[in-house]
Amino acid sequence: MKRQERYRVRNSPLTRNLLRPPGHSLQNKLSEVQTDILSEVMVMLFIPVLALSGYFCFREISDTKDNVTVIFLASFLVFGFLTYRSWVLLKAFNKKKHLILGLQGELFTGEELNQLMLEGCDSPRLSDSGGPEFLRR
């Protein structure tokens, strides 16, 4: 019984204290934003087709063949919807640009830190007063 409890509580040494590479969380966010952009583009392509098919269905059902008011109203609604979705898409592209810049900065910083570690630099040791040693000199 005790053995089973220890086995359940025991952590694998392969997953303990793992460090993520630089930019890991930004890459995840960038992937989500790219998915959002793709879905916005698909919606923007689908809505005019849906509105046109709705108009043709209305035209077949109704007695009047060409109702200018319905055409104008449908066109106005589709244009308004596409304008709003374009604004959302523009915000998503802006967010993607900022995430890419942040990712590049994190990757550059990680590479610089790797170069410093290769040259033998070590992290500053913390003193008893709570600050790095090189600040006390």
Side-chain angles (χ1 to χ4, degrees), residues 66-107:
D66 288 323
N67 192 348
V68 178
T69 307
V70 173
I71 293 172
F72 179 74
L73 183 62
S75 300
F76 183 73
L77 287 175
V78 168
F79 180 73
F81 184 79
L82 289 178
T83 303
Y84 172 72
R85 285 293 165 194
S86 298
W87 179 68
V88 171
L89 189 63
L90 187 63
K91 282 178 44 178
F93 274 122
N94 196 19
K95 185 175 181 178
K96 179 182 174 184
K97 180 179 77 169
H98 290 308
L99 286 174
I100 287 173
L101 288 174
L103 179 64
Q104 289 172 349
E106 264 194 47
L107 291 176

Coordinates of all heavy atoms in Angstrom, one line a residue, residues 66-107:
D66 N -37.9 41.4 -58.4 CA -36.8 42.3 -58.0 C -37.3 43.4 -57.1 O -37.8 44.4 -57.6 CB -36.1 42.9 -59.3 CG -35.4 41.8 -60.1 OD1 -34.8 41.0 -59.5 OD2 -35.3 42.0 -61.3
N67 N -37.1 43.2 -55.8 CA -37.4 44.1 -54.8 C -36.2 45.0 -54.5 O -35.2 44.4 -53.9 CB -38.0 43.4 -53.6 CG -38.6 44.4 -52.6 OD1 -38.5 45.6 -52.8 ND2 -39.4 43.9 -51.7
V68 N -36.2 46.2 -54.9 CA -35.0 47.1 -54.7 C -34.7 47.3 -53.2 O -33.6 47.4 -52.8 CB -35.2 48.4 -55.4 CG1 -34.1 49.4 -55.2 CG2 -35.5 48.2 -56.9
T69 N -35.8 47.4 -52.4 CA -35.6 47.6 -51.0 C -34.8 46.4 -50.3 O -33.9 46.6 -49.5 CB -36.9 47.8 -50.3 OG1 -37.7 48.8 -50.9 CG2 -36.8 48.1 -48.8
V70 N -35.2 45.2 -50.7 CA -34.5 44.0 -50.1 C -33.1 44.0 -50.6 O -32.2 43.7 -49.8 CB -35.3 42.7 -50.5 CG1 -34.5 41.5 -50.1 CG2 -36.7 42.7 -49.9
I71 N -32.8 44.3 -51.9 CA -31.5 44.3 -52.4 C -30.6 45.3 -51.6 O -29.5 45.0 -51.2 CB -31.5 44.6 -53.9 CG1 -32.1 43.4 -54.6 CG2 -30.0 44.8 -54.4 CD1 -32.3 43.7 -56.1
F72 N -31.2 46.5 -51.5 CA -30.4 47.6 -50.8 C -30.2 47.2 -49.3 O -29.1 47.4 -48.8 CB -31.2 48.9 -50.9 CG -30.5 50.0 -50.1 CD1 -29.4 50.6 -50.7 CD2 -31.0 50.5 -48.9 CE1 -28.8 51.7 -50.0 CE2 -30.4 51.5 -48.2 CZ -29.3 52.1 -48.8
L73 N -31.2 46.7 -48.6 CA -31.0 46.3 -47.2 C -30.0 45.2 -47.1 O -29.1 45.3 -46.2 CB -32.4 45.9 -46.7 CG -32.4 45.5 -45.2 CD1 -32.0 46.7 -44.3 CD2 -33.8 45.0 -44.8
A74 N -30.1 44.2 -47.9 CA -29.1 43.1 -47.8 C -27.7 43.6 -48.1 O -26.7 43.2 -47.4 CB -29.5 42.0 -48.8
S75 N -27.6 44.4 -49.1 CA -26.2 44.9 -49.5 C -25.7 45.8 -48.3 O -24.5 45.7 -48.0 CB -26.3 45.8 -50.7 OG -26.8 45.0 -51.8
F76 N -26.5 46.6 -47.7 CA -26.1 47.4 -46.6 C -25.7 46.6 -45.4 O -24.7 46.9 -44.8 CB -27.2 48.4 -46.2 CG -26.9 49.3 -45.1 CD1 -26.0 50.4 -45.3 CD2 -27.4 49.1 -43.8 CE1 -25.7 51.3 -44.3 CE2 -27.0 50.0 -42.8 CZ -26.2 51.1 -43.0
L77 N -26.4 45.5 -45.1 CA -26.1 44.6 -44.0 C -24.8 43.9 -44.2 O -23.9 43.8 -43.3 CB -27.2 43.7 -43.7 CG -28.5 44.2 -43.0 CD1 -29.5 43.2 -42.9 CD2 -28.1 44.8 -41.7
V78 N -24.6 43.4 -45.4 CA -23.4 42.7 -45.8 C -22.2 43.7 -45.7 O -21.1 43.3 -45.2 CB -23.5 42.0 -47.2 CG1 -22.1 41.5 -47.6 CG2 -24.4 40.9 -47.1
F79 N -22.3 44.9 -46.3 CA -21.3 45.8 -46.2 C -20.9 46.2 -44.8 O -19.7 46.3 -44.4 CB -21.7 47.1 -47.0 CG -20.6 48.1 -47.0 CD1 -19.4 48.0 -47.8 CD2 -20.7 49.3 -46.3 CE1 -18.5 48.9 -47.8 CE2 -19.7 50.2 -46.2 CZ -18.6 50.1 -47.0
G80 N -21.9 46.4 -44.0 CA -21.6 46.7 -42.6 C -20.9 45.6 -41.8 O -20.0 45.8 -41.1
F81 N -21.4 44.4 -42.1 CA -20.7 43.2 -41.5 C -19.3 43.1 -41.9 O -18.4 42.8 -41.1 CB -21.5 42.0 -41.8 CG -21.0 40.7 -41.1 CD1 -21.3 40.5 -39.8 CD2 -20.2 39.8 -41.8 CE1 -20.8 39.4 -39.1 CE2 -19.7 38.7 -41.1 CZ -20.0 38.5 -39.8
L82 N -19.1 43.2 -43.2 CA -17.7 43.1 -43.7 C -16.8 44.2 -43.2 O -15.6 44.0 -43.0 CB -17.7 43.1 -45.3 CG -18.3 41.8 -45.9 CD1 -18.3 41.9 -47.4 CD2 -17.5 40.6 -45.4
T83 N -17.4 45.4 -43.0 CA -16.6 46.5 -42.5 C -16.2 46.2 -41.1 O -15.0 46.4 -40.7 CB -17.4 47.9 -42.5 OG1 -17.8 48.1 -43.9 CG2 -16.6 49.0 -42.0
Y84 N -17.1 45.7 -40.3 CA -16.8 45.4 -38.9 C -15.7 44.3 -38.8 O -14.7 44.3 -38.1 CB -18.0 44.9 -38.1 CG -17.7 44.4 -36.8 CD1 -17.3 45.2 -35.7 CD2 -17.9 43.0 -36.5 CE1 -17.0 44.7 -34.5 CE2 -17.6 42.5 -35.2 CZ -17.2 43.4 -34.2 OH -16.9 42.9 -33.0
R85 N -15.9 43.2 -39.6 CA -14.9 42.1 -39.7 C -13.6 42.6 -40.2 O -12.6 42.0 -39.7 CB -15.5 41.0 -40.5 CG -16.6 40.2 -39.8 CD -16.0 39.5 -38.6 NE -17.0 39.1 -37.7 CZ -16.8 38.7 -36.5 NH1 -15.6 38.7 -36.0 NH2 -17.8 38.3 -35.7
S86 N -13.5 43.5 -41.1 CA -12.3 44.0 -41.5 C -11.5 44.8 -40.4 O -10.3 44.7 -40.3 CB -12.5 45.0 -42.7 OG -13.0 44.3 -43.8
W87 N -12.3 45.5 -39.6 CA -11.7 46.2 -38.4 C -11.1 45.1 -37.4 O -10.0 45.3 -36.9 CB -12.8 47.0 -37.8 CG -12.3 47.8 -36.6 CD1 -11.4 48.8 -36.5 CD2 -12.7 47.5 -35.2 NE1 -11.2 49.2 -35.2 CE2 -12.0 48.5 -34.4 CE3 -13.6 46.6 -34.6 CZ2 -12.1 48.5 -33.1 CZ3 -13.7 46.7 -33.3 CH2 -13.0 47.6 -32.5
V88 N -11.9 44.1 -37.2 CA -11.4 43.0 -36.3 C -10.1 42.3 -36.9 O -9.2 42.1 -36.2 CB -12.5 42.0 -36.1 CG1 -12.0 40.7 -35.3 CG2 -13.7 42.6 -35.3
L89 N -10.1 42.1 -38.2 CA -9.0 41.5 -38.9 C -7.8 42.4 -38.8 O -6.6 42.0 -38.6 CB -9.3 41.2 -40.3 CG -8.4 40.4 -41.1 CD1 -8.2 39.0 -40.5 CD2 -8.8 40.3 -42.5
L90 N -8.0 43.7 -38.9 CA -6.9 44.7 -38.8 C -6.3 44.7 -37.4 O -5.0 44.7 -37.3 CB -7.4 46.1 -39.2 CG -6.3 47.2 -39.3 CD1 -5.4 46.9 -40.4 CD2 -7.0 48.5 -39.6
K91 N -7.1 44.6 -36.4 CA -6.6 44.5 -35.0 C -5.8 43.2 -34.8 O -4.8 43.2 -34.1 CB -7.8 44.6 -34.0 CG -8.3 45.9 -33.8 CD -9.5 46.0 -32.9 CE -9.4 45.2 -31.6 NZ -10.5 45.3 -30.7
A92 N -6.3 42.1 -35.4 CA -5.6 40.9 -35.3 C -4.2 40.9 -36.0 O -3.2 40.4 -35.5 CB -6.4 39.7 -35.8
F93 N -4.1 41.6 -37.1 CA -2.9 41.7 -37.8 C -1.9 42.6 -37.0 O -0.7 42.3 -36.9 CB -3.0 42.3 -39.2 CG -3.3 41.3 -40.3 CD1 -4.5 41.4 -41.0 CD2 -2.5 40.3 -40.5 CE1 -4.8 40.5 -42.0 CE2 -2.7 39.3 -41.5 CZ -3.9 39.4 -42.3
N94 N -2.4 43.6 -36.4 CA -1.6 44.5 -35.5 C -1.1 43.7 -34.3 O 0.1 43.8 -34.0 CB -2.4 45.7 -35.1 CG -1.6 46.8 -34.6 OD1 -0.4 46.9 -34.8 ND2 -2.2 47.7 -33.8
K95 N -1.9 42.9 -33.7 CA -1.5 42.1 -32.6 C -0.4 41.1 -33.0 O 0.6 40.8 -32.3 CB -2.7 41.3 -32.0 CG -2.4 40.6 -30.7 CD -3.6 40.0 -30.1 CE -3.2 39.2 -28.9 NZ -4.4 38.7 -28.2
K96 N -0.6 40.5 -34.2 CA 0.4 39.6 -34.8 C 1.7 40.2 -35.0 O 2.8 39.7 -34.6 CB -0.1 39.0 -36.1 CG 0.8 38.0 -36.7 CD 0.3 37.5 -38.0 CE 1.4 36.6 -38.7 NZ 1.0 36.2 -40.0
K97 N 1.7 41.5 -35.5 CA 3.0 42.2 -35.7 C 3.7 42.4 -34.4 O 4.9 42.2 -34.3 CB 2.6 43.5 -36.4 CG 3.9 44.4 -36.6 CD 3.5 45.7 -37.3 CE 2.9 46.6 -36.3 NZ 2.8 48.0 -36.7
H98 N 2.9 42.8 -33.3 CA 3.6 43.0 -32.0 C 4.1 41.7 -31.4 O 5.2 41.7 -30.8 CB 2.6 43.7 -31.1 CG 2.2 45.1 -31.4 ND1 3.2 46.1 -31.6 CD2 1.0 45.7 -31.6 CE1 2.6 47.2 -31.9 NE2 1.3 47.0 -31.9
L99 N 3.4 40.6 -31.6 CA 3.9 39.4 -31.1 C 5.1 38.9 -31.8 O 6.0 38.4 -31.2 CB 2.8 38.3 -31.2 CG 1.6 38.4 -30.2 CD1 0.5 37.4 -30.6 CD2 2.1 38.2 -28.8
I100 N 5.2 39.2 -33.1 CA 6.4 38.8 -33.9 C 7.6 39.6 -33.4 O 8.7 39.1 -33.2 CB 6.2 39.0 -35.4 CG1 5.2 37.9 -35.9 CG2 7.5 38.9 -36.1 CD1 4.8 38.0 -37.3
L101 N 7.4 40.9 -33.1 CA 8.5 41.7 -32.6 C 8.9 41.3 -31.3 O 10.1 41.2 -31.0 CB 8.1 43.2 -32.6 CG 7.9 43.9 -34.0 CD1 7.4 45.3 -33.8 CD2 9.3 43.9 -34.7
G102 N 8.0 41.0 -30.4 CA 8.3 40.5 -29.1 C 9.1 39.1 -29.1 O 10.0 38.9 -28.4
L103 N 8.6 38.3 -30.0 CA 9.3 37.0 -30.2 C 10.7 37.1 -30.7 O 11.6 36.5 -30.2 CB 8.5 36.1 -31.2 CG 9.0 34.7 -31.5 CD1 9.1 33.9 -30.2 CD2 8.2 34.0 -32.5
Q104 N 10.9 38.0 -31.6 CA 12.3 38.3 -32.1 C 13.2 38.8 -31.0 O 14.3 38.4 -30.9 CB 12.2 39.2 -33.3 CG 11.7 38.6 -34.6 CD 11.5 39.7 -35.7 OE1 11.6 40.9 -35.4 NE2 11.2 39.2 -36.9
G105 N 12.6 39.7 -30.2 CA 13.4 40.2 -29.0 C 13.7 39.2 -28.0 O 14.9 39.1 -27.5
E106 N 12.8 38.3 -27.7 CA 13.1 37.2 -26.8 C 14.1 36.2 -27.3 O 15.0 35.8 -26.6 CB 11.8 36.5 -26.4 CG 11.2 36.9 -25.2 CD 10.1 36.0 -24.6 OE1 10.4 34.8 -24.6 OE2 9.0 36.5 -24.3
L107 N 14.0 35.9 -28.6 CA 15.0 35.0 -29.2 C 16.4 35.6 -29.3 O 17.4 35.0 -29.0 CB 14.5 34.6 -30.6 CG 13.3 33.7 -30.7 CD1 12.9 33.5 -32.1 CD2 13.5 32.4 -30.0

